[in-house]
Amino acid sequence: MSLTAEKVVTVDTARELGLLPEEFEKIKDYLGRTPNFTELSIYSVMWSEHCSYKNSISWLKTLPKDGPHMLAQAGQENAGLVAIGDGLACAFKIESHNHPSAIEPYQGAATGVGGINRDIFTMGARPVAQLNSLRFGNIHLDKTKWLLKGVVKGIGDYGNAFGVPTVGGELYFDDCYNVNPLVNAMSAGIVEVGKTISAISYGLGNPVFIVGSATGKDGIHGATFASGDLHEDSAEDLPSVQVGDPFTEKLLLEASLELIETGAVIGMQDMGAAGIICSTSEMSAKGRHGMIIRLERVPTRQKNMQAWEILLSESQERMLVVVKKGREAEVKRVFDKWDLNCVQIGEVTTGNQLKFYMEKELVADVPADSLVLGGGAPVYQREYSVPSYFYESKRFSIDSVPEPEDLKSVANFLLQHPNICSRRYVYQQYDSMVGTVNMSTNAPSDAAVVNLKNTDRAIALTVDCNSRYVYADPEQGCAIAVAEAARNIICSGAEPSAITNCLNFGNPYNKEVYWQFVNAIKGMGKACRKFRTPVTGGNVSFYNQSSDEGPVFPTPTIGMLGVLESKSHRMTLDFKKVGDSIFLIGESVNDIASSEYLYSWHKIKHSPAPYFDLDKEYKVQQVVRKLILKGLVRSAHDVSDGGLFVTLVESSMPRGLGFSIETDFDCRADAFLFGEAQGRFVVSVDESNIDTFVAELMNADVEFANLGTVNAGEMIIDEENWGKVSEVAAAYDSALEKQLS
């Protein structure tokens, strides 16, 4: 059973598979010989950026990973795991499916949803909530409309059929995403502490099963596809896009959780990127064991699949399960019940080798450690340099921008801008109520609030990143993304607990792109330490660029988890009663840098990130949280995209109320109303609580201002009527659908 001699491979073959010449030499050193084509294919996917993080891991290691509630460190398991009280834990993670969605938006997005949910339930957690973060190009382009409609339908069809509610998300448009959209999917699940399953393999002779769907040729070399730039021939890579089946995934979820209850499972891992080879190598390396795998036993959808095709296929809804020897019948009984494939394809061995056979031929023999992150996978620190636009942005002065005479026109423009207007067109295609745990459907809050049934607790979830800020100043902009996520959690009444991240950047070999990445990591680390929100893991997605358009804006999407110890602490963003006082908590600054107003109305593309002081931000957040816990505010909403005016309108619309306010004459009116300086909250306060409320703020020594009062439905600014809330609400709600029609 000598190793099969396939076609001769050379350094040129390695290049064609995305490997560097020095990596080809390193592989030969590991094996003590020249690899065959199957083995070289194995290394090409496992050492791709998508699987190995070879250009990012050295910087990711600088992020804070420890916290009082952490149950698993970043990279240790399929997803992050955080204790949330009452003996429960939350498994949560966010990942990208950008390149597949750029080529085939429906399946690209759908399989992204499927994959992230499998990461959750392979740990033994039942998914309870999904979120997504989406970026597209110019909304007026036909291609953008096609991509968005396909992505949204893919997310909706898969998530709705799978039976997990989509509870939140974000949507942005910018020309930089014309060719390369970003589709980031997040999932969160609940499990009892101590009942999780690890992605590990050990125990000589323990059987290895493949369960779920049959294996096909879809998704082959998908990890390699995701580790290169998009180009004019990328559509020819369609086989690299997987095809999803949410109904099979639902069966797989129930079967997996039932199997875990038997106690027969040693370890379990989703077959996502790189398929069988990824699961076998990562589980084996973690458990310090090897495996013998017989590929001819793998159920296939197509005849005559070659060994390397079976190994590298990324067909969806499949998992690798290692179980205790002698309990094979229990495993088969569970999966037979759910009418799913369940086939023993190998067994665990001692040592470190992975041996793959096709019939009686040994087609690959590789050390598991040599393939994986933290083992033999290469690690690089790339050179980086500051882009010239960064210095251009720093030269911006507000004094160079004339203040418009008609601010009402600016207000109407912003409320109908695709980056600010209602996302109703998108979220109405998602089932947000399945499972009856979403507490935010009819009572909106800045973060989604998910009920933990049979407890007094709830969790809050949000995804946030303003990539325009990160482009302007990666360190400051990424710190703002973390701070905004924390603001949204605070405004919902919860306490920030931990984050997951999806780091979307261009080509890491571009020195300016790598500078953006390095500084974004610095900003994230700084902010996470301040907010005490350790990083539980996530995803790095490089190569988000095209030969024609260049790289996308650096987009480090932050997914944050918060915990409400009591549902009575829950807070919403809507004004509640006419006559309530409206307060702005936080510092008013004469700043319009990187605002949607400056970028889209004035069309000034280069300016610094908006005003942000991390220490002041943290202090204000703690004060607002204290006010909410003491029951001193009726509503809370953070000031973000579109500035204070948009915040006020968003708090007015749910109940058809309005506001009467006065502007701060120490600031330009446009900066006060439309600037996006950070660290600010709008709250409404009942008259009976005002004295106590003000005393708390005075004692806390934070800036605040009494803006005015809630009224019956008018927008009144400096005694001038800007119109009815009901009229702008109609335009706000319909703007996105009109622009996509």
Side-chain angles (χ1 to χ4, degrees):
M1 293 193 298
S2 61
L3 202 65
T4 182
E6 301 170 342
K7 69 178 184 181
V8 176
V9 299
T10 65
V11 68
D12 291 331
T13 317
R15 279 199 191 94
E16 290 171 6
L17 292 175
L19 291 162
L20 299 172
E22 56 268 33
E23 291 172 344
F24 182 57
E25 294 303 317
K26 192 173 184 180
I27 293 166
K28 290 196 291 184
D29 288 342
Y30 276 128
L31 299 181
R33 55 180 169 78
T34 300
N36 64 26
F37 181 77
T38 297
E39 292 167 332
L40 193 64
S41 295
I42 286 172
Y43 280 97
S44 77
V45 294
M46 291 305 299
W47 285 10
S48 69
E49 184 65 42
H50 194 72
C51 291
S52 74
Y53 292 176
K54 59 188 176 186
N55 290 309
S56 58
I57 189 60
S58 59
W59 285 101
L60 296 178
K61 286 181 176 179
T62 67
L63 293 170
K65 298 178 178 64
D66 295 317
H69 307 129
M70 293 284 283
L71 297 176
Q73 283 210 340
Q76 201 171 43
E77 298 295 350
N78 286 332
L81 190 67
V82 177
I84 55 177
D86 287 345
L88 299 176
C90 181
F92 70 113
K93 188 181 182 182
I94 188 169
E95 283 198 339
S96 64
H97 235 223
N98 302 335
H99 278 42
S101 299
I103 302 302
E104 211 298 298
Y106 180 86
Q107 290 295 350
T111 51
V113 172
I116 197 65
N117 278 304
R118 285 195 302 280
D119 281 339
I120 301 304
F121 70 73
T122 51
M123 292 181 67
R126 179 175 289 277
V128 295
Q130 300 172 151
L131 301 91
N132 53 71
S133 173
L134 310 177
R135 300 291 196 286
F136 297 97
N138 189 314
I139 196 172
H140 302 296
L141 297 177
D142 288 342
K143 181 178 180 181
T144 296
K145 296 174 184 179
W146 173 72
L147 286 169
L148 182 141
K149 290 174 181 178
V151 164
V152 170
K153 185 167 175 55
I155 292 171
D157 284 0
Y158 200 103
N160 297 352
F162 181 56
V164 175
T166 300
V167 300
E170 59 175 2
L171 171 66
Y172 285 94
F173 298 87
D174 191 274
D175 288 357
C176 73
Y177 303 108
N178 279 345
V179 174
N180 202 134
L182 302 183
V183 177
N184 296 174
M186 178 175 168
S187 181
I190 303 300
V191 63
E192 291 182 38
V193 174
K195 289 194 174 182
T196 53
I197 291 295
S198 185
I200 195 169
S201 168
Y202 59 82
L204 176 63
N206 278 334
V208 179
F209 284 83
I210 188 169
V211 300
S213 290
T215 297
K217 294 187 178 183
D218 53 314
I220 293 174
H221 271 297
T224 308
F225 170 56
S227 303
D229 297 349
L230 288 176
H231 49 80
E232 61 183 8
D233 296 324
S234 288
E236 296 178 6
D237 292 326
L238 200 58
S240 295
V241 180
Q242 308 93 330
V243 178
D245 179 354
F247 299 103
T248 297
E249 175 120 332
K250 175 63 174 173
L251 298 177
L252 191 56
L253 161 66
E254 301 301 338
S256 299
L257 296 183
E258 185 173 327
L259 177 64
I260 290 168
E261 285 295 318
T262 68
V265 177
I266 294 288
M268 181 184 297
Q269 184 166 329
D270 164 44
M271 286 184 194
I276 291 174
I277 185 55
C278 184
S279 301
T280 53
S281 60
E282 290 182 350
M283 293 176 74
S284 296
K286 185 175 181 180
R288 300 185 182 279
H289 277 64
M291 285 185 187
I292 290 176
I293 299 294
R294 304 189 184 278
L295 297 173
E296 76 276 2
R297 297 180 185 175
V298 174
T300 57
R301 290 202 297 268
Q302 286 141 309
K303 293 181 179 179
N304 302 318
M305 286 185 68
Q306 296 183 56
W308 66 271
E309 292 176 319
I310 296 172
L311 269 173
L312 273 56
S313 169
E314 294 181 14
S315 292
Q316 298 292 284
E317 293 84 42
R318 302 177 304 153
M319 300 192 308
L320 196 75
V321 186
V322 177
V323 300
K324 296 173 183 176
K325 190 174 183 179
R327 304 188 69 175
E328 295 87 343
E330 290 178 68
V331 179
K332 291 180 179 178
R333 189 160 51 245
V334 169
F335 283 91
D336 284 346
K337 170 186 172 182
W338 293 99
D339 195 24
L340 292 168
N341 288 317
C342 176
V343 179
Q344 183 179 343
I345 61 170
E347 57 275 341
V348 178
T349 62
T350 55
N352 182 42
Q353 291 299 115
L354 297 174
K355 295 176 183 281
F356 298 96
Y357 289 86
M358 192 70 172
E359 299 298 346
K360 294 182 179 181
E361 276 194 273
L362 179 63
V363 294
D365 185 357
V366 293
D369 279 347
S370 72
L371 298 172
V372 301
L373 169 67
V379 175
Y380 302 115
Q381 285 213 18
R382 298 296 172 197
E383 295 181 0
Y384 54 90
S385 60
V386 183
S388 58
Y389 78 79
F390 180 72
Y391 299 112
E392 181 183 346
S393 297
K394 293 294 186 185
R395 291 193 291 269
F396 169 79
S397 168
I398 190 174
D399 297 330
S400 66
V401 181
E403 189 170 1
E405 293 183 8
D406 184 5
L407 292 179
K408 293 180 188 177
S409 295
V410 178
N412 289 327
F413 169 82
L414 288 175
L415 287 173
Q416 296 180 61
H417 193 283
N419 287 344
I420 292 175
C421 69
S422 170
R423 274 79 175 110
R424 184 188 300 271
Y425 168 79
V426 170
Y427 67 68
Q428 69 185 2
Q429 298 183 54
Y430 304 149
D431 189 338
S432 63
M433 291 300 292
V434 61
T436 64
V437 294
N438 185 2
M439 299 175 69
S440 304
T441 301
N442 299 315
S445 54
D446 282 16
V449 179
V450 177
N451 185 22
L452 300 180
K453 294 182 178 181
N454 303 315
T455 78
D456 190 37
R457 294 174 178 267
I459 57 173
L461 300 164
T462 186
V463 287
D464 291 285
C465 179
N466 188 313
S467 56
R468 191 169 58 250
Y469 300 170
V470 186
Y471 176 74
D473 185 331
E475 183 170 347
Q476 194 85 324
C478 192
I480 288 173
V482 176
E484 183 180 1
R487 280 201 304 276
N488 288 333
I489 297 292
I490 292 286
C491 282
S492 69
E495 180 179 10
S497 177
I499 77 160
T500 179
N501 58 53
C502 194
L503 309 178
N504 308 273
F505 290 81
N507 191 317
Y509 295 89
N510 178 322
K511 293 181 181 180
E512 295 184 353
V513 166
Y514 204 69
W515 174 84
Q516 293 171 335
F517 172 76
V518 168
N519 283 277
I521 293 295
K522 290 178 180 178
M524 186 188 306
K526 178 173 64 176
C528 284
R529 290 183 184 92
K530 188 68 179 181
F531 294 110
R532 290 174 289 190
T533 51
V535 180
T536 63
N539 174 226
V540 177
S541 176
F542 280 135
Y543 301 98
N544 291 291
Q545 66 180 64
S546 69
S547 53
D548 296 331
E549 299 282 339
V552 301
F553 281 170
T555 311
T557 306
I558 303 298
M560 186 174 283
L561 167 73
V563 179
L564 286 85
E565 294 186 357
S566 171
K567 291 164 194 165
S568 64
H569 297 155
R570 185 172 172 244
M571 181 54 57
T572 57
L573 61 81
D574 52 314
F575 293 147
K576 304 297 190 301
K577 189 183 74 172
V578 172
D580 283 354
S581 292
I582 302 171
F583 283 84
L584 176 66
I585 304 176
E587 188 176 3
S588 295
V589 181
N590 197 41
D591 177 66
I592 57 174
S594 281
S595 63
E596 195 68 65
Y597 160 63
L598 180 69
Y599 190 82
S600 296
W601 178 268
H602 288 287
K603 301 192 184 306
I604 294 175
K605 305 302 183 184
H606 294 290
S607 64
Y611 171 81
F612 175 67
D613 184 306
L614 182 58
D615 292 331
K616 289 182 178 179
E617 170 92 44
Y618 178 75
K619 186 177 182 180
V620 170
Q621 287 193 20
Q622 296 308 300
V623 171
V624 172
R625 173 164 166 74
K626 186 177 180 182
L627 294 170
I628 292 172
L629 294 181
K630 289 190 171 187
L632 296 176
V633 300
R634 284 177 172 268
S635 68
H637 191 17
D638 80 313
V639 179
S640 56
D641 302 327
L644 175 63
F645 174 78
V646 171
T647 301
L648 291 166
V649 173
E650 288 176 344
S651 291
S652 298
M653 288 188 289
R655 295 174 184 259
L657 299 175
F659 54 88
S660 178
I661 68 160
E662 292 185 359
T663 59
D664 184 340
F665 293 101
D666 290 335
C667 293
R668 284 173 40 157
D670 60 345
F672 185 73
L673 292 171
F674 311 127
E676 297 177 12
Q678 301 294 292
R680 296 181 294 160
F681 296 80
V682 168
V683 300
S684 60
V685 185
D686 183 83
E687 185 179 357
S688 64
N689 287 326
I690 285 182
D691 290 344
T692 308
F693 171 83
V694 170
E696 288 282 350
L697 289 172
M698 295 290 285
N699 290 335
D701 190 29
V702 297
E703 293 196 33
F704 68 97
N706 188 338
L707 296 178
T709 57
V710 177
N711 66 37
E714 306 288 334
M715 300 182 298
I716 298 174
I717 300 175
D718 294 334
E719 300 184 350
E720 183 179 0
N721 194 322
W722 283 37
K724 295 182 180 295
V725 169
S726 59
E727 293 172 353
V728 299
Y732 174 86
D733 282 342
S734 62
L736 186 61
E737 186 170 5
K738 284 181 178 178
Q739 293 180 76
L740 289 169
S741 296

